[in-house]
Amino acid sequence: MSTPPPPGVYVPAVLFFDENEEFDVPAIKQHVLRLARGGVTGILVQGSNGEAQHLSREERKTAIALTRQTLNESGFENVIIIAGTGAQSTRETKVFNEDAKDAGATFALVLTPSTWPKAMTIDNIIRFHTEATDASPIPTMIYNFPGVTGGLDLDSDIIYTLSKHPNIVGTKLSCGNIGKLQRLTSRLAPSEFAIYSGRSDTFVHGLNAGSAGVIAALVNIAPRVHVDVVRMWREGGEEREKAMELQAMLGHADWASSAVGGIGGIKAVVARHFGYGAKEGWVRGPLQPANPAKLQEDNLSYKILVDLVSLEKAGNGLPN
Amino acid sequence: MSTPPPPGVYVPAVLFFDENEEFDVPAIKQHVLRLARGGVTGILVQGSNGEAQHLSREERKTAIALTRQTLNESGFENVIIIAGTGAQSTRETKVFNEDAKDAGATFALVLTPSTWPKAMTIDNIIRFHTEATDASPIPTMIYNFPGVTGGLDLDSDIIYTLSKHPNIVGTKLSCGNIGKLQRLTSRLAPSEFAIYSGRSDTFVHGLNAGSAGVIAALVNIAPRVHVDVVRMWREGGEEREKAMELQAMLGHADWASSAVGGIGGIKAVVARHFGYGAKEGWVRGPLQPANPAKLQEDNLSYKILVDLVSLEKAGNGLPN
Amino acid sequence: MSTPPPPGVYVPAVLFFDENEEFDVPAIKQHVLRLARGGVTGILVQGSNGEAQHLSREERKTAIALTRQTLNESGFENVIIIAGTGAQSTRETKVFNEDAKDAGATFALVLTPSTWPKAMTIDNIIRFHTEATDASPIPTMIYNFPGVTGGLDLDSDIIYTLSKHPNIVGTKLSCGNIGKLQRLTSRLAPSEFAIYSGRSDTFVHGLNAGSAGVIAALVNIAPRVHVDVVRMWREGGEEREKAMELQAMLGHADWASSAVGGIGGIKAVVARHFGYGAKEGWVRGPLQPANPAKLQEDNLSYKILVDLVSLEKAGNGLPN
Amino acid sequence: MSTPPPPGVYVPAVLFFDENEEFDVPAIKQHVLRLARGGVTGILVQGSNGEAQHLSREERKTAIALTRQTLNESGFENVIIIAGTGAQSTRETKVFNEDAKDAGATFALVLTPSTWPKAMTIDNIIRFHTEATDASPIPTMIYNFPGVTGGLDLDSDIIYTLSKHPNIVGTKLSCGNIGKLQRLTSRLAPSEFAIYSGRSDTFVHGLNAGSAGVIAALVNIAPRVHVDVVRMWREGGEEREKAMELQAMLGHADWASSAVGGIGGIKAVVARHFGYGAKEGWVRGPLQPANPAKLQEDNLSYKILVDLVSLEKAGNGLPN
């Protein structure tokens, strides 16, 4: 029986590229450090926001090792690394799990394959995760993100069944389904199976429902705000009410980050406001870099993100 | 500027049929009274769970009038009637809105047409609801239920735009998207635009996020439990924690009601445990009546619903 | 064992409205007569292109009766009327089948309900069509059009099973799946079960595969061209090659008719080139009338339709 | 301006594995030779049926090189190799295109990425294929298979636009849309842009519409039958009618091959009837090997495939 990752705030770190789509190592390192200093409990390397699907096997290992090394160099040995490892075959998923361990990851977050949707029966879904985990040198978690699996959406029954595997220790619910989340938290203690909201717009709602925290893209912009929300929520009373007020803001910012262009938009916002990475928000095709027209103050979505940045910096004692 | 319905618990009442698929008037009346005695603030006649899509125009009027009459006969003049009125054309929706008013409804809940999905652009969605409401003698609300509209799912931006219409006064979010709900509640006061969870598994989460309550199928089985949850939640403190515990139970029961067969299953559970309506749970085809094999104590889903019934009866001071 | 409709060209007639969305009776009559004079074997009243989903029960009957009367008045007693009758419940479908017979239809074309997609199991699909047909006073046909049933798509096995019912006599395949069509034609003689292409872009391909002809929206613009294609195809040899050349043109025109706005676009093209009906191409909301910007000669799609009109008129000995 | 592959029959070769999911080299070689001796014009290595999505980069190269070598060893230098190369990023697609050339492929068939469906706008689809082709050392073709791209389906306008690129020379339409196929063939000569049916059930229909032939999974079972069909079709007259009769059979067999289990089923049928490869039909997970219960003579689908095998062997002068 493996132990799940501890409760807290995790970030599916975006990965910085230069104009040739090569790793922008200085930016990657600065980003990792800003996230760690922001207080995150762990970093998900190769979530969908980390462009896992756009990386070669070698690059996957390099990104994990680079993150681990960067953390350790600055005394963040305690920050956990979760590696996204789901591939389109069970076999390659096993390879990625091995690689993840070797490169320094402590947990693997496994996306379900979806090349052949009709073949993904309940039995095949369970068989896939079971076999991938049986062979894994590190504990695994279930990554449920219908947005990148052609609509394939694991329900609470399937995830509950998988939770009984001694080496499957948690899940990231990027579906945003709070009902599903609570059907799981109400039956599984965080010490045996950790359930994380996968989007910032279900963050505090998830905490209220017994989640272990959040693993969400918006943490790339505002780690400290998310960490503050957990602290306030844990204090209870009036602080918890303030956490819910921040939740409202995070829900708008989550939506806004999609509206300004998703992954490329997040990178561009980070570059512009925190001073590292290319202002173009380079991503790998077929995705498009950030659209400058959307990153203007008269765009309400951008304005919402700028407000979040201000809050993040205030917490840091930094000028906006 | 019309006023929204008051906060509270609403129920998309199931409609009881006999074996010939004709209205089972005694059962319909008993159900309405049990719901009213259970403390619901209002009854949604012709929600999808009320088989709106299976009724003729005359039957729609009859069901509304019968509900209004039954309530009034027993002193429940204050229980509000919302009528589901969305049709596949703007024109027929207008007719249904007129009919609803005439038959005794106070609000209309309008489902978006989805015959031609590609034609349902943002502009056409907004035009549809605007025109249907402009012509309506009663205030309208937006019914967002992708499960019965071929996946058509109105986002928070569209609903926010529609909320600015002086006669569109609320929404039922059957999508279960708590992030969407809070993006709306955080910008719109319940006194101007009332936002209801559309499923019991997002009920307390919705309250935490500022919703006006719930309009959900499971209230057909357990109105009093839902009403108790609102009361407990409003009291705050420890009572609010108990509300969240009940929420966990409601989340399982919501899922279980689908697992035992949806509409037919709900009717069969009601018949078996509250003594009215046919034990077969008659529905109109192409839906199927309740499957007796699923309504057995050794079926976990059924067991969950029986536990909910027990709780409902305990609150009523009734034997189980 | 009922007899299917004879092979030939059928048209899902568009229905003309005035600016108040009321029936434009003169235009409807002129359209029926132009189609009949163009040589169509039958008219489908209340196909999806006839806005079946936008009509009241009374209007459905009126449209059928008006079509029958118009045909008879001008000596077209032999032109067959098929009525689209699928409703969201089995019960209402039965009513529509009765009404269709009473109003003058010879066959009913039954669309499968799709309000609750998950409930539409193979068993429920078969039960629906079987029950609707058992009660029908006229033979029925299966209308397979995933574009208006939320993606619900009946496969060749299901349709083959239904073809064994003595009173289910054919199908319109609006899915455009030529493989499915031939799996059916190769097992079922047109004298027992008639299989029609449901789109002009699979018309001659269907004939090659053994279909009984076509029931397609584009026939509204060019009935004579379609009838000519059947004649040429039947002659064989070089004429058949010419039929295939026309097929290429029809395939482009089919696509073009969607590109200029679907139902409203077809009505506007008819009005402009054949002199009846409103040039705006009025449709019932939520659909939008024709967009004048698309009906310009410099729009390739419109140009393709104009060429088809010219060919239609040449066959009629009319000036373009 | 590159030249497309010549008209004919192509096969997305299945790839044989042993029980450890390692390449079964002897079976792969025997399969390649049987296909070549059956008269195929070319072999698609790493189509979806070749489990492209389940292979590592090295394995992709090995499979191509092994196929090329096997063909050359036996005098089949003229049999063309097309390599499936679409990856989830433009960058990796470029790498696969380079690798394909190095390993011996003459053309690359590029599947469109679909990780982020909403990001796959028309512009991004065109940009992806354009950039991937600009950098490719060999001509490319567009692989349109919505069944493995989460429903993403390129229409005739998009493919026509891409056909204007001097190095994009054809397409495989696994969507089975004969209307789309003819909208392309009617505007593009096979000498500039070759359009292939992607399924056997649209094979002769495609030829009638001007296709360059077929690239279809069923050719794995019956290459000679498919080659015969092209020959008969080209002869015209009565032979062409016989080709259409065979088409009916191929349409049933195509459907039957899915019914017996897809890729694993095809491998098992080949093993059982042609004497190489494991009778279990090993595939890589999450797919499942062949289900023996479906490979019984009393299963109609299996019976249809056995009849096809008999026909294939009769053409070979082999005992059944």
Side-chain angles (χ1 to χ4, degrees), chain A residues 155-157 176-180 182-184 186-187 199 201-202 205-206 208-209 240-241 244-245 247-248 250-252 254-255 300 304, chain B residues 155-157 176-180 182-184 186-187 199 201-202 205-206 208-209 240-241 244-245 247-248 250-252 254-255 300 304:
Chain A
D155 68 25
S156 44
D157 292 341
N177 186 325
I178 192 74
K180 181 192 297 183
Q182 195 175 25
R183 277 189 290 277
L184 292 167
S186 57
R187 286 190 173 158
R199 294 165 25 180
D201 69 359
T202 55
H205 308 295
N208 285 336
R240 191 170 285 195
E241 287 175 30
M244 186 55 89
E245 283 169 30
Q247 173 60 57
L250 293 177
H252 286 289
D254 207 3
W255 187 248
L300 176 60
I304 288 168
Chain B
D155 67 26
S156 43
D157 291 341
N177 186 325
I178 192 73
K180 183 192 297 184
Q182 194 173 25
R183 275 188 292 275
L184 292 168
S186 57
R187 286 191 174 158
R199 294 166 25 180
D201 69 359
T202 55
H205 308 295
N208 285 336
R240 192 169 284 195
E241 287 175 31
M244 187 54 90
E245 283 169 30
Q247 173 61 57
L250 293 176
H252 287 290
D254 207 3
W255 188 248
L300 176 60
I304 287 169

Side-chain angles (χ1 to χ4, degrees), chain A residues 25-251:
Chain A
V25 173
I28 294 171
K29 296 189 73 158
Q30 286 182 76
H31 191 54
V32 165
L33 288 179
R34 186 172 68 84
L35 297 170
R37 287 176 187 137
V40 301
T41 302
I43 295 179
L44 167 60
V45 187
Q46 283 135 54
S48 298
N49 277 280
E51 294 180 64
Q53 290 88 348
H54 299 168
L55 302 181
S56 71
R57 181 179 170 192
E58 284 309 312
E59 287 175 327
R60 285 172 170 260
K61 288 192 282 190
T62 300
I64 297 168
L66 179 62
T67 304
R68 185 70 273 163
Q69 175 200 340
T70 304
L71 289 169
N72 292 0
E73 283 168 358
S74 295
F76 291 110
E77 288 85 358
N78 62 323
V79 173
I80 291 162
I81 292 185
I82 303 173
T85 62
Q88 291 303 309
S89 69
T90 315
R91 183 184 180 90
E92 192 171 26
T93 304
K94 291 176 186 174
V95 170
F96 287 173
N97 283 342
E98 293 271 1
D99 284 356
K101 163 91 192 288
D102 293 347
T106 307
F107 298 92
L109 182 66
V110 184
L111 195 71
T112 311
S114 58
T115 298
W116 299 97
K118 288 183 192 168
M120 299 315 291
T121 57
I122 294 176
D123 280 355
N124 273 358
I125 292 169
I126 289 175
R127 201 168 59 100
F128 165 77
H129 282 288
T130 301
E131 291 181 6
T133 303
D134 284 346
S136 176
I138 50 178
T140 71
M141 301 166 67
I142 309 297
Y143 192 1
N144 187 54
F145 190 177
V148 298
T149 53
L152 181 68
D153 189 15
L154 276 57
D155 68 25
S156 44
D157 292 341
I158 295 175
I159 298 174
Y160 182 75
T161 300
L162 288 169
S163 77
K164 295 297 133 191
H165 190 294
N167 214 31
I168 299 181
V169 298
T171 187
K172 163 169 160 58
L173 296 180
S174 299
C175 49
N177 186 325
I178 192 74
K180 181 192 297 183
L181 183 146
Q182 195 175 25
R183 277 189 290 277
L184 292 167
T185 56
S186 57
R187 286 190 173 158
L188 296 161
S191 58
E192 53 172 336
F193 190 81
I195 297 141
Y196 299 91
S197 292
R199 294 165 25 180
S200 289
D201 69 359
T202 55
F203 175 22
V204 173
H205 308 295
L207 293 174
N208 285 336
S211 82
V214 73
I215 309 176
L218 197 65
V219 180
N220 281 288
I221 293 178
R224 191 172 300 262
V225 174
H226 283 79
V227 170
D228 278 352
V229 165
V230 171
R231 183 188 48 71
M232 292 155 78
W233 185 87
R234 284 180 182 151
E235 286 193 21
E238 281 187 22
E239 285 297 297
R240 191 170 285 195
E241 287 175 30
K242 282 196 210 160
M244 186 55 89
E245 283 169 30
L246 282 175
Q247 173 60 57
M249 183 192 194
L250 293 177

Side-chain angles (χ1 to χ4, degrees), chain C residues 255, chain D residues 112 120-123 125-126 129 142 152-164 184:
Chain C
W255 188 248
Chain D
T112 312
M120 298 317 291
T121 57
I122 294 175
D123 281 355
I125 291 169
I126 289 175
H129 282 287
I142 309 296
L152 182 67
D153 189 15
L154 276 55
D155 68 26
S156 42
D157 292 341
I158 296 175
I159 298 174
Y160 182 76
T161 299
L162 288 169
S163 77
K164 296 297 131 193
L184 293 168

Side-chain angles (χ1 to χ4, degrees), chain D:
Chain D
M1 197 75 171
S2 301
T3 305
V9 171
Y10 295 73
V11 53
V14 293
L15 193 61
F16 290 85
F17 298 113
D18 64 20
E19 70 274 24
N20 297 317
E21 298 190 8
E22 300 288 348
F23 281 18
D24 176 351
V25 174
I28 293 170
K29 296 188 74 160
Q30 286 182 76
H31 190 54
V32 165
L33 288 178
R34 186 171 71 83
L35 296 170
R37 288 179 185 134
V40 301
T41 302
I43 295 178
L44 167 60
V45 187
Q46 282 134 53
S48 298
N49 276 279
E51 294 180 63
Q53 289 87 347
H54 299 167
L55 302 181
S56 71
R57 180 180 170 191
E58 284 309 312
E59 288 175 326
R60 286 171 169 259
K61 287 192 281 190
T62 300
I64 296 168
L66 178 61
T67 303
R68 186 70 272 163
Q69 175 200 339
T70 304
L71 289 169
N72 291 1
E73 282 168 358
S74 296
F76 291 110
E77 289 84 356
N78 61 325
V79 174
I80 291 161
I81 292 185
I82 303 173
T85 62
Q88 290 304 309
S89 69
T90 316
R91 182 183 180 91
E92 192 171 28
T93 304
K94 291 176 184 173
V95 170
F96 287 173
N97 283 343
E98 294 271 1
D99 284 355
K101 162 91 193 290
D102 293 346
T106 307
F107 298 92
L109 182 66
V110 184
L111 195 70
T112 312
S114 58
T115 298
W116 299 97
K118 286 183 192 167
M120 298 317 291
T121 57
I122 294 175
D123 281 355
N124 273 357
I125 291 169
I126 289 175
R127 201 167 59 101
F128 165 77
H129 282 287
T130 301
E131 291 181 6
T133 303
D134 285 345
S136 177
I138 49 177
T140 71
M141 302 167 66
I142 309 296
Y143 192 1
N144 187 53
F145 190 177
V148 299
T149 53
L152 182 67
D153 189 15
L154 276 55
D155 68 26
S156 42
D157 292 341
I158 296 175
I159 298 174
Y160 182 76
T161 299
L162 288 169
S163 77
K164 296 297 131 193
H165 190 293
N167 215 30
I168 299 181
V169 298
T171 187
K172 165 168 158 58
L173 296 181
S174 299
C175 48
N177 186 325
I178 192 73
K180 182 192 297 182
L181 183 146
Q182 194 174 25
R183 277 188 291 275
L184 293 168
T185 56
S186 57
R187 287 191 172 158
L188 296 162
S191 59
E192 54 173 336
F193 191 80
I195 297 141
Y196 299 91
S197 292
R199 293 164 29 178
S200 289
D201 69 359
T202 55
F203 175 22
V204 173
H205 307 296
L207 292 174
N208 285 336
S211 82
V214 74
I215 309 176
L218 197 64
V219 180
N220 281 288
I221 293 178
R224 193 171 300 262
V225 174
H226 283 80
V227 170
D228 278 352
V229 165
V230 170
R231 184 188 47 70
M232 293 157 78
W233 186 87
R234 285 180 182 152
E235 286 191 19
E238 281 187 21
E239 285 298 296
R240 193 170 284 194
E241 287 175 31
K242 282 196 212 159
M244 187 55 90
E245 283 169 30
L246 281 175
Q247 172 61 56
M249 183 193 194
L250 292 177
H252 286 290
D254 207 4
W255 188 248
S257 72
S258 293
V260 301
I263 299 173
I266 289 175
K267 292 190 205 181
V269 167
V270 166
R272 194 179 288 205
H273 293 281
F274 296 101
Y276 56 83
K279 69 178 188 328
E280 291 86 352
W282 299 119
V283 290
R284 287 190 171 170
L287 297 181
Q288 279 188 300
N291 178 351
K294 293 197 172 168
L295 300 173
Q296 306 290 340
E297 291 275 346
D298 58 358
N299 178 333
L300 176 61
S301 293
Y302 181 65
K303 181 70 174 53
I304 287 169
L305 293 173
V306 169
D307 289 348
L308 180 62
V309 166
S310 297
L311 191 66
E312 176 74 11
K313 288 189 172 177
N316 287 349
L318 293 176
N320 289 327

Side-chain angles (χ1 to χ4, degrees), chain C residues 7-12 42 172 195-204 207 211-217 219 226-227 230:
Chain C
V9 171
Y10 295 75
V11 53
K172 165 168 159 58
I195 297 140
Y196 299 91
S197 292
R199 292 163 29 177
S200 289
D201 68 359
T202 56
F203 176 20
V204 173
L207 293 174
S211 83
V214 73
I215 309 176
V219 180
H226 283 79
V227 170
V230 171

